[in-house]
Amino acid sequence: MSPMLRIVIDTLTQKAGLPAAPVTPTATLTQAGVDSMAIAVLAMVLEDDHGVVITETDLSGNSTIADLAVFIERHQAANA
């Protein structure tokens, strides 16, 4: 598991309060129960701790948790 994938999962479960069971790398954001509040928490943590800015419009409910981590990693690399 990549470090960013671990950060995304931990943020969604520990800081956004989502139940851990559905938040798996292969789950879509919809399946994992990622709502606008969870996105807001994730966006705040990523910006504050990692300098990555994401918005709800950057994400699709059909994207997986792993897709989200890859998106963030690419965004980080592009802005490094």
Side-chain angles (χ1 to χ4, degrees):
M1 185 176 298
S2 76
M4 185 53 67
L5 180 55
R6 174 59 38 211
I7 289 166
V8 170
I9 290 172
D10 288 349
T11 300
L12 291 173
T13 57
Q14 296 172 10
K15 295 186 179 182
L18 297 178
V23 182
T24 64
T26 59
T28 65
L29 300 179
T30 301
Q31 291 168 333
V34 177
D35 59 11
S36 58
M37 181 59 89
I39 294 292
V41 169
L42 182 61
M44 184 178 62
V45 168
L46 289 172
E47 185 171 359
D48 291 349
D49 295 351
H50 304 284
V52 175
V53 177
I54 64 165
T55 66
E56 195 166 346
T57 58
D58 292 330
L59 309 174
S60 161
N62 294 324
S63 297
T64 66
I65 301 294
D67 292 339
L68 175 57
V70 169
F71 171 82
I72 295 164
E73 288 168 339
R74 287 184 181 151
H75 188 72
Q76 265 185 320
N79 293 312

